[in-house]
Amino acid sequence: MKQIWRRTSTREQQLLLVLGVFLLAVVAFSLIWQPTRQRLEDVERQYQQQMALVAQLQRAQPRSHVAVDTDQPLSLRVSESATAAGLEIRQMETDSDLMRLTLNGDSQTLLQWLDGMERSGVALQSLTLEKRDDALEARLVLK
């Protein structure tokens, strides 16, 4: 190989060196730079999608505009608000920080009451709704 290199003229050697540097630059661009830029663009696009999802989730979370009276026990708050809404409390069980409750009332009133309870900071663990004649019965677990 060295013999072939020595037999070529200086001008051809310089052209071959320039061609080698050019080929090396093309290979480096196509194998290193371009895939790296593509991955960076993909990551930026994923980041923007995640930020859009975060903003969408923040808009979807209910905002509590009502001041919550945390001095009252949950059972008292629930009982007072259900009575004030005109709902009939069929059953109420308190177990440490959970409360099992069965309510009966007009469907629109019951759903508005549930919405109000969630907005006031009461966490709804489970909910079962059943239609009973003209009323709606709700079995729920609150926290």
Side-chain angles (χ1 to χ4, degrees), residues 2-3 13 17 19 21-22 26 29 37 40 52 91 121 127 132 141 143:
K2 287 185 179 183
Q3 292 174 355
Q13 287 177 357
L17 284 174
L19 179 63
V21 169
F22 175 74
V26 168
F29 176 78
R37 277 196 71 220
L40 179 62
Q91 181 181 3
L127 172 66
R132 302 276 184 189
V141 177
K143 186 173 183 181

Side-chain angles (χ1 to χ4, degrees), residues 49-91:
Q49 289 172 346
Q50 293 295 324
M51 293 305 293
L53 285 173
V54 165
Q56 192 175 17
L57 283 174
Q58 287 175 343
R59 283 191 308 270
Q61 289 180 347
R63 306 262 192 260
S64 177
H65 299 294
V66 180
V68 179
D69 186 9
T70 55
D71 293 339
Q72 286 185 331
L74 178 61
S75 59
L76 185 59
R77 285 189 292 159
V78 168
S79 175
E80 287 178 353
S81 65
T83 304
L87 299 173
E88 179 187 350
I89 299 176
R90 298 257 176 146
Q91 181 181 3

Side-chain angles (χ1 to χ4, degrees), residues 49-131:
Q49 289 172 346
Q50 293 295 324
M51 293 305 293
L53 285 173
V54 165
Q56 192 175 17
L57 283 174
Q58 287 175 343
R59 283 191 308 270
Q61 289 180 347
R63 306 262 192 260
S64 177
H65 299 294
V66 180
V68 179
D69 186 9
T70 55
D71 293 339
Q72 286 185 331
L74 178 61
S75 59
L76 185 59
R77 285 189 292 159
V78 168
S79 175
E80 287 178 353
S81 65
T83 304
L87 299 173
E88 179 187 350
I89 299 176
R90 298 257 176 146
Q91 181 181 3
M92 182 186 290
E93 295 176 19
T94 306
D95 187 30
S96 66
D97 63 339
L98 293 178
M99 175 188 232
R100 288 172 186 77
L101 186 66
T102 303
L103 294 169
N104 202 18
D106 177 59
S107 60
Q108 186 67 27
T109 306
L110 182 59
L111 294 175
Q112 286 175 349
W113 180 81
L114 286 170
D115 181 53
M117 290 305 292
E118 281 190 316
R119 288 181 187 272
S120 70
V122 176
L124 187 64
Q125 296 290 315
S126 69
L127 172 66
T128 305
L129 298 172
E130 281 187 41
K131 186 175 190 286

